[in-house]
Amino acid sequence: MWLFSSGITLMDVIMRILAVLIIVFLILPLHECAHGWVASKLGDPTAKLTGRLTLNPLVHFDPLGALGILLFSFGWAKPVPVNASNFKNPRRDMAITAAAGPISNLLAAVFGGLLANFFALFNFGAASVWIGTFFSYYIVLNIGIAVFNLIPIAPLDGFRIAEAFIPEKFLISYYKYYNIITLSVFLLLFLGVLTIPLVFLENIIYNFVMWLTSLPFAFFA
Protein backbone atom coordinates (compact mmCIF):
# COMPACT_ATOMS: atom_id res chain seq x y z
CA MET A 1 0.00 0.00 0.00
CA TRP A 2 1.75 3.14 -1.20
CA LEU A 3 1.37 6.57 0.31
CA PHE A 4 0.68 8.25 -3.00
CA SER A 5 -1.72 5.77 -4.58
CA SER A 6 -4.12 7.01 -7.24
CA GLY A 7 -7.40 8.29 -5.85
CA ILE A 8 -6.01 8.83 -2.36
CA THR A 9 -7.69 11.65 -0.42
CA LEU A 10 -6.31 14.20 2.02
CA MET A 11 -8.00 12.29 4.84
CA ASP A 12 -6.22 9.12 3.75
CA VAL A 13 -2.86 10.91 3.78
CA ILE A 14 -3.44 12.41 7.24
CA MET A 15 -4.68 9.16 8.77
CA ARG A 16 -1.87 7.17 7.18
CA ILE A 17 0.78 9.57 8.45
CA LEU A 18 -0.78 9.43 11.91
CA ALA A 19 -0.77 5.63 11.80
CA VAL A 20 2.87 5.65 10.67
CA LEU A 21 3.82 7.93 13.57
CA ILE A 22 2.11 5.58 16.03
CA ILE A 23 3.92 2.62 14.47
CA VAL A 24 7.34 4.31 14.47
CA PHE A 25 7.19 5.78 17.97
CA LEU A 26 5.14 3.15 19.80
CA ILE A 27 4.95 -0.16 17.93
CA LEU A 28 8.48 -0.52 16.56
CA PRO A 29 9.93 0.09 20.05
CA LEU A 30 7.50 -2.59 21.28
CA HIS A 31 8.72 -4.92 18.50
CA GLU A 32 12.38 -4.47 19.45
CA CYS A 33 11.69 -4.55 23.17
CA ALA A 34 9.84 -7.86 22.66
CA HIS A 35 13.02 -9.32 21.15
CA GLY A 36 15.09 -8.10 24.07
CA TRP A 37 12.60 -9.17 26.74
CA VAL A 38 12.25 -12.71 25.39
CA ALA A 39 16.02 -12.98 24.96
CA SER A 40 16.50 -11.94 28.60
CA LYS A 41 13.99 -14.56 29.74
CA LEU A 42 15.96 -17.17 27.78
CA GLY A 43 19.25 -16.20 29.41
CA ASP A 44 20.70 -13.37 27.31
CA PRO A 45 20.93 -10.00 29.11
CA THR A 46 22.58 -8.16 26.19
CA ALA A 47 19.59 -5.96 25.37
CA LYS A 48 19.25 -4.88 29.00
CA LEU A 49 22.98 -4.25 29.43
CA THR A 50 23.08 -2.08 26.29
CA GLY A 51 20.03 -0.03 27.30
CA ARG A 52 17.78 -1.47 24.61
CA LEU A 53 15.24 -3.13 26.89
CA THR A 54 13.09 -0.01 26.81
CA LEU A 55 10.08 1.44 25.00
CA ASN A 56 11.86 4.77 24.51
CA PRO A 57 11.41 5.39 20.74
CA LEU A 58 14.58 7.46 20.43
CA VAL A 59 16.67 4.45 21.42
CA HIS A 60 15.21 2.30 18.65
CA PHE A 61 14.61 4.90 15.91
CA ASP A 62 16.01 4.24 12.44
CA PRO A 63 15.26 7.01 9.87
CA LEU A 64 15.47 4.74 6.82
CA GLY A 65 13.24 2.15 8.45
CA ALA A 66 10.70 4.83 9.34
CA LEU A 67 10.74 6.15 5.76
CA GLY A 68 10.21 2.62 4.48
CA ILE A 69 7.04 2.29 6.55
CA LEU A 70 5.74 5.60 5.25
CA LEU A 71 6.36 4.79 1.59
CA PHE A 72 6.18 0.99 1.32
CA SER A 73 4.25 -0.22 4.40
CA PHE A 74 7.24 -2.12 5.75
CA GLY A 75 10.28 -0.97 7.64
CA TRP A 76 12.37 -1.48 10.72
CA ALA A 77 13.95 -0.01 13.83
CA LYS A 78 17.52 -0.48 15.09
CA PRO A 79 17.89 -4.21 15.78
CA VAL A 80 18.22 -5.14 19.43
CA PRO A 81 21.58 -6.89 20.03
CA VAL A 82 21.28 -10.55 20.96
CA ASN A 83 24.12 -12.87 21.94
CA ALA A 84 23.05 -16.41 21.09
CA SER A 85 25.97 -17.89 23.04
CA ASN A 86 24.08 -17.02 26.23
CA PHE A 87 21.21 -19.32 25.28
CA LYS A 88 20.98 -22.92 26.46
CA ASN A 89 19.82 -23.97 23.00
CA PRO A 90 21.11 -21.22 20.66
CA ARG A 91 19.20 -22.11 17.48
CA ARG A 92 15.89 -22.78 19.21
CA ASP A 93 16.09 -19.84 21.58
CA MET A 94 17.20 -17.47 18.83
CA ALA A 95 14.17 -18.55 16.78
CA ILE A 96 11.87 -17.88 19.73
CA THR A 97 13.50 -14.50 20.31
CA ALA A 98 13.14 -13.60 16.62
CA ALA A 99 9.49 -14.65 16.55
CA ALA A 100 8.69 -12.29 19.44
CA GLY A 101 8.96 -9.25 17.17
CA PRO A 102 6.40 -10.22 14.49
CA ILE A 103 4.14 -11.66 17.18
CA SER A 104 4.14 -8.26 18.94
CA ASN A 105 2.99 -6.65 15.68
CA LEU A 106 0.21 -9.19 15.24
CA LEU A 107 -0.93 -8.61 18.82
CA ALA A 108 -0.83 -4.85 18.17
CA ALA A 109 -3.01 -5.44 15.10
CA VAL A 110 -5.47 -7.44 17.20
CA PHE A 111 -5.56 -4.63 19.77
CA GLY A 112 -6.24 -2.16 16.95
CA GLY A 113 -9.03 -4.38 15.66
CA LEU A 114 -10.65 -4.45 19.09
CA LEU A 115 -10.49 -0.65 19.32
CA ALA A 116 -11.85 -0.28 15.78
CA ASN A 117 -14.82 -2.50 16.60
CA PHE A 118 -15.37 -0.67 19.88
CA PHE A 119 -15.48 2.77 18.26
CA ALA A 120 -17.74 1.38 15.51
CA LEU A 121 -20.42 0.94 18.17
CA PHE A 122 -20.77 4.72 18.45
CA ASN A 123 -21.82 7.33 15.95
CA PHE A 124 -19.24 10.10 15.79
CA GLY A 125 -20.65 11.52 12.57
CA ALA A 126 -18.00 12.37 9.96
CA ALA A 127 -15.28 11.55 12.49
CA SER A 128 -16.32 7.89 12.33
CA VAL A 129 -14.87 7.67 8.82
CA TRP A 130 -11.60 9.20 10.01
CA ILE A 131 -11.42 6.79 12.94
CA GLY A 132 -12.16 3.79 10.74
CA THR A 133 -9.56 4.87 8.18
CA PHE A 134 -6.91 5.36 10.86
CA PHE A 135 -7.42 1.90 12.34
CA SER A 136 -7.45 0.30 8.90
CA TYR A 137 -4.02 1.79 8.18
CA TYR A 138 -2.78 0.98 11.67
CA ILE A 139 -3.82 -2.68 11.40
CA VAL A 140 -2.55 -3.07 7.83
CA LEU A 141 0.83 -1.55 8.73
CA ASN A 142 1.28 -3.86 11.70
CA ILE A 143 0.41 -6.91 9.63
CA GLY A 144 2.69 -5.71 6.83
CA ILE A 145 5.62 -5.34 9.21
CA ALA A 146 4.97 -8.79 10.68
CA VAL A 147 4.77 -10.46 7.25
CA PHE A 148 7.83 -8.58 5.97
CA ASN A 149 9.87 -9.62 8.98
CA LEU A 150 8.85 -13.26 8.51
CA ILE A 151 10.52 -13.44 5.08
CA PRO A 152 13.22 -16.09 5.65
CA ILE A 153 16.28 -14.05 4.67
CA ALA A 154 18.87 -12.49 6.94
CA PRO A 155 18.81 -10.12 8.71
CA LEU A 156 15.03 -10.42 8.99
CA ASP A 157 13.38 -12.29 11.86
CA GLY A 158 12.10 -14.95 9.49
CA PHE A 159 15.58 -16.22 8.81
CA ARG A 160 16.33 -16.72 12.50
CA ILE A 161 13.09 -18.65 12.79
CA ALA A 162 13.78 -20.77 9.70
CA GLU A 163 17.37 -21.27 10.84
CA ALA A 164 16.13 -23.51 13.67
CA PHE A 165 14.68 -25.93 11.12
CA ILE A 166 17.32 -25.80 8.37
CA PRO A 167 19.92 -28.63 8.43
CA GLU A 168 23.43 -27.43 9.21
CA LYS A 169 24.81 -28.43 5.81
CA PHE A 170 22.31 -26.20 4.03
CA LEU A 171 23.04 -23.30 6.38
CA ILE A 172 26.69 -23.43 5.37
CA SER A 173 25.69 -23.11 1.71
CA TYR A 174 23.33 -20.26 2.53
CA TYR A 175 25.99 -18.32 4.41
CA LYS A 176 28.31 -18.75 1.44
CA TYR A 177 25.85 -17.00 -0.89
CA TYR A 178 24.27 -14.77 1.76
CA ASN A 179 24.86 -11.43 0.02
CA ILE A 180 23.60 -12.61 -3.37
CA ILE A 181 20.44 -14.18 -1.91
CA THR A 182 19.63 -11.15 0.23
CA LEU A 183 20.16 -8.65 -2.59
CA SER A 184 18.10 -10.80 -4.96
CA VAL A 185 15.14 -10.98 -2.58
CA PHE A 186 15.20 -7.24 -1.87
CA LEU A 187 15.44 -6.57 -5.61
CA LEU A 188 12.35 -8.72 -6.15
CA LEU A 189 10.60 -6.76 -3.39
CA PHE A 190 11.57 -3.45 -5.01
CA LEU A 191 10.40 -4.59 -8.44
CA GLY A 192 7.08 -5.74 -7.00
CA VAL A 193 7.53 -9.39 -7.96
CA LEU A 194 6.72 -10.50 -4.41
CA THR A 195 3.88 -8.02 -3.97
CA ILE A 196 1.08 -10.42 -4.94
CA PRO A 197 2.00 -13.28 -2.56
CA LEU A 198 2.80 -10.90 0.30
CA VAL A 199 -0.41 -8.90 -0.13
CA PHE A 200 -2.37 -12.15 -0.43
CA LEU A 201 -0.98 -13.32 2.91
CA GLU A 202 -1.54 -9.91 4.50
CA ASN A 203 -5.18 -9.92 3.34
CA ILE A 204 -5.75 -13.34 4.86
CA ILE A 205 -4.31 -12.20 8.19
CA TYR A 206 -6.21 -8.90 8.04
CA ASN A 207 -9.54 -10.64 7.42
CA PHE A 208 -8.83 -13.09 10.24
CA VAL A 209 -7.90 -10.29 12.66
CA MET A 210 -11.05 -8.33 11.82
CA TRP A 211 -13.21 -11.45 12.15
CA LEU A 212 -11.58 -12.43 15.44
CA THR A 213 -11.82 -8.97 16.97
CA SER A 214 -15.47 -8.60 15.91
CA LEU A 215 -16.54 -11.62 17.96
CA PRO A 216 -16.69 -9.87 21.37
CA PHE A 217 -18.95 -7.21 19.83
CA ALA A 218 -21.31 -9.56 18.01
CA PHE A 219 -23.94 -9.17 20.74
CA PHE A 220 -24.06 -5.42 20.17
CA ALA A 221 -24.77 -5.67 16.44
Side-chain angles (χ1 to χ4, degrees):
M1 185 179 296
W2 297 71
L3 175 60
F4 303 109
S5 303
S6 59
I8 198 168
T9 66
L10 177 61
M11 180 191 70
D12 290 322
V13 173
I14 294 173
M15 291 298 99
R16 180 177 173 81
I17 291 175
L18 179 59
V20 167
L21 291 175
I22 296 295
I23 295 293
V24 170
F25 292 105
L26 292 180
I27 304 303
L28 287 186
L30 176 65
H31 177 112
E32 294 303 326
C33 194
H35 286 312
W37 183 79
V38 171
S40 69
K41 293 299 181 181
L42 294 173
D44 176 36
T46 304
K48 183 176 182 179
L49 294 175
T50 56
R52 297 297 304 280
L53 196 58
T54 175
L55 293 176
N56 182 352
L58 299 180
V59 174
H60 303 287
F61 182 75
D62 184 296
L64 288 179
L67 183 63
I69 295 174
L70 179 65
L71 297 179
F72 309 115
S73 294
F74 61 81
W76 56 89
K78 291 180 181 178
V80 164
V82 177
N83 187 349
S85 63
N86 290 321
F87 295 141
K88 292 181 180 179
N89 187 325
R91 291 181 67 181
R92 181 201 65 192
D93 294 347
M94 180 60 82
I96 296 173
T97 298
I103 289 174
S104 71
N105 286 110
L106 294 176
L107 291 176
V110 169
F111 180 69
L114 290 171
L115 288 178
N117 279 282
F118 173 77
F119 284 112
L121 296 175
F122 306 95
N123 183 6
F124 296 101
S128 294
V129 178
W130 289 67
I131 294 171
T133 301
F134 165 77
F135 280 111
S136 292
Y137 279 127
Y138 169 83
I139 295 167
V140 166
L141 286 169
N142 269 295
I143 293 173
I145 293 170
V147 170
F148 172 71
N149 273 280
L150 288 173
I151 298 175
I153 60 167
L156 300 180
D157 298 328
F159 176 71
R160 294 303 182 186
I161 298 171
E163 199 175 29
F165 303 96
I166 300 175
E168 195 71 32
K169 59 180 179 180
F170 294 120
L171 280 178
I172 295 174
S173 298
Y174 175 83
Y175 292 140
K176 183 178 180 180
Y177 301 103
Y178 160 78
N179 290 330
I180 295 175
I181 295 173
T182 300
L183 288 175
S184 298
V185 173
F186 275 101
L187 179 61
L188 292 175
L189 283 169
F190 179 78
L191 294 175
V193 176
L194 298 180
T195 298
I196 292 178
L198 290 178
V199 170
F200 177 76
L201 179 57
E202 289 172 14
N203 286 337
I204 290 176
I205 298 174
Y206 178 85
N207 290 331
F208 175 75
V209 167
M210 297 312 296
W211 169 79
L212 180 66
T213 56
S214 69
L215 294 180
F217 303 92
F219 297 105
F220 300 98

